[in-house]
Amino acid sequence: MVTDAGESGASLGERVASLTADLVEYRTTEDRPAEIDACLSHVLDFFADEAVDVERFDHAGVPSAVVSLDGSRSPELVFHGHLDVVSAADSLFTPRYIDDGELSGRGTADMKGGLAAMMHVVRDLSRRADPPSLALMVVTDEERGGHHGARYLLDEAGYDPAFCITGEPNNLDGYLDIVHRQKGVIRLDLTATGASAHAATPEQGENAIAALMDAHPEIRAVFAAEDDDWPTTVNYGLIEGGTSVNQVPDTATLRLDVRYPDADARDRVLTALRAIDGLTVESAGHGAPVDTDPDDPYVRGLQRHAERVIGRDVNLVRKPHTSDLRHFAAHGVPGVAFGPEAYGSHEGYEYLVLDSVPDYCRTLAAFAEGAPYSSSSQ
């Protein structure tokens, strides 16, 4: 068991790697709900013979589940993980072990590897005579906003933990860093309008695509002006315009993915974009930033246990990626992103560093066993 000092790191790592590989083989993309259901069943079957409470939920056709060690909807700790992944080539859904200690495949980093580790920790802790107040929340819609998973479980199903760890990987430099700040995200549709005409007589129309292209230098200037040490960034994610090549398009839309550190930065960018002539600006989705107090007793407790396990300093860091932590923050629940070492989320080569798994599991176990935390326990 994770809490058994006699188990080798190699044995613990092999357990988690094997389960991760099993989960990766499920193609849990948004367009495959049957695969998502089957993968969630695989997770719950893992706990079939254990002394745990299991609740399975479905909201708007999106399944989720909570595995609890004490049956409480207000546990001290929630470990959070998601099964859904972004699309990828067929080959990425066949996990591969690489010679230098990597397990590659879609979801190994984001975040079936972290979830598999959490599953083993929760199951091992459930076998203790006096298990901690701990629940594992498993959701399947984090990649598309988490509204029917984490947000539903918190706001409608009534879960209210004291603290949350989501097993998202750091993806950046730093071994087992603890992410306490994450940027917010807002998806914006910038639309230019014109008047349709035949392509043979373009002067009789107003080309919306051309208008959008003309506005691009001003759009780019808005983000170039964001030069703080943690600036607002933009990705031009989608562009749509026109219905036929022989017709002057009367509408064109550019969808932006904007990552911002705080509300002031968000409002500054929105104001500047809305001041550009000829464009309408509409929000197509929003997620607030996360800014957990680094001196929160649970944060410090996790840092302390991690440093004891790995024998080196563990940093509290910020990260531009978003996660379901925003739903916990909006619900008043502090939390951090803390996952095993893994890289390549959403990329063509995604992998879990297997040597990090024992340290990660032992840190989670020690942290859960040490709860609750208060200012006097730091």
Side-chain angles (χ1 to χ4, degrees):
M1 295 202 309
V2 175
T3 54
D4 181 1
E7 182 177 21
S8 69
S11 171
L12 181 52
E14 287 169 5
R15 285 201 281 145
V16 173
S18 177
L19 179 56
T20 302
D22 290 343
L23 297 179
V24 167
E25 291 184 351
Y26 292 93
R27 296 181 64 117
T28 51
T29 51
E30 181 182 357
D31 60 336
R32 294 175 179 257
E35 288 281 295
I36 289 175
D37 272 328
C39 191
L40 184 59
S41 294
H42 188 113
V43 170
L44 299 185
D45 288 346
F46 182 83
F47 295 97
D49 298 324
E50 307 304 324
V52 296
D53 290 323
V54 176
E55 289 193 81
R56 188 164 182 159
F57 300 87
D58 186 288
H59 187 250
V62 176
S64 60
V66 178
V67 178
S68 174
L69 299 194
D70 62 3
S72 171
R73 293 204 175 185
S74 299
E76 283 296 325
L77 303 175
V78 157
F79 292 167
H80 163 279
H82 69 88
L83 286 173
D84 55 315
V85 298
V86 298
S87 59
D90 291 346
S91 60
L92 284 181
F93 291 94
T94 301
R96 294 183 298 127
Y97 291 89
I98 310 302
D99 289 342
D100 55 357
E102 299 169 1
L103 174 63
S104 72
R106 177 56 82 227
T108 50
D110 188 14
M111 61 161 285
K112 290 176 178 177
L115 176 60
M118 288 177 159
M119 289 167 62
H120 274 285
V121 171
V122 170
R123 190 175 71 173
D124 286 359
L125 290 175
S126 75
R127 296 171 177 175
R128 296 199 50 130
D130 185 21
S133 178
L134 172 66
L136 174 66
M137 181 182 289
V138 186
V139 300
T140 64
D141 70 337
E142 191 273 347
E143 297 292 0
R144 46 195 162 122
H147 300 289
H148 303 296
R151 190 173 77 169
Y152 165 75
L153 293 171
L154 293 164
D155 293 350
E156 298 186 44
Y159 283 94
D160 188 29
F163 191 77
C164 169
I165 295 176
T166 184
E168 298 278 9
N170 182 19
N171 272 312
L172 305 173
D173 291 339
Y175 184 69
L176 297 189
D177 283 347
I178 298 168
V179 180
H180 72 102
R181 287 190 70 191
Q182 294 182 326
K183 285 185 176 180
V185 60
I186 187 167
R187 307 277 164 75
L188 297 174
D189 285 344
L190 277 53
T191 301
T193 56
S196 61
H198 197 287
T201 55
E203 71 278 0
Q204 294 182 10
E206 296 179 18
N207 193 306
I209 292 178
L212 188 59
M213 292 171 64
D214 289 343
H216 177 247
E218 291 183 80
I219 297 170
R220 185 171 55 190
V222 169
F223 296 97
E226 296 293 309
D227 59 356
D228 298 335
D229 68 330
W230 205 33
T232 299
T233 61
V234 64
N235 178 59
Y236 299 165
L238 294 170
I239 189 165
E240 298 176 341
T243 57
S244 175
V245 71
N246 63 351
Q247 183 182 42
V248 174
D250 61 1
T251 184
T253 298
L254 172 64
R255 177 162 289 187
L256 309 180
D257 179 299
V258 178
R259 305 295 172 116
Y260 64 91
D262 53 48
D264 287 344
R266 177 201 63 203
D267 293 346
R268 187 169 58 246
V269 163
L270 285 173
T271 299
L273 289 173
R274 287 171 175 153
I276 299 174
D277 288 339
L279 293 183
T280 61
V281 180
E282 295 183 349
S283 172
H286 174 254
V290 172
D291 190 2
T292 301
D293 183 355
D295 290 323
D296 181 280
Y298 285 84
V299 175
R300 290 301 184 187
L302 178 60
Q303 183 184 37
R304 184 171 64 250
H305 284 296
E307 290 178 342
R308 287 174 179 170
V309 167
I310 69 176
R312 68 174 80 167
D313 290 343
V314 170
N315 298 317
L316 304 180
V317 300
R318 61 192 187 187
K319 174 180 172 182
H321 305 72
T322 63
S323 74
D324 273 349
L325 273 184
R326 62 183 181 271
H327 299 304
F328 288 87
H331 193 73
V333 177
V336 296
F338 178 65
E341 188 179 9
Y343 303 95
S345 299
H346 297 200
E347 297 178 11
Y349 183 70
E350 180 178 355
Y351 62 98
L352 171 68
V353 180
L354 298 178
D355 285 349
S356 71
V357 169
D359 285 346
Y360 179 64
C361 290
R362 288 167 176 156
T363 297
L364 288 181
F367 176 66
E369 291 181 300
Y373 295 88
S374 65
S375 57
S376 61
S377 65
Q378 295 187 43

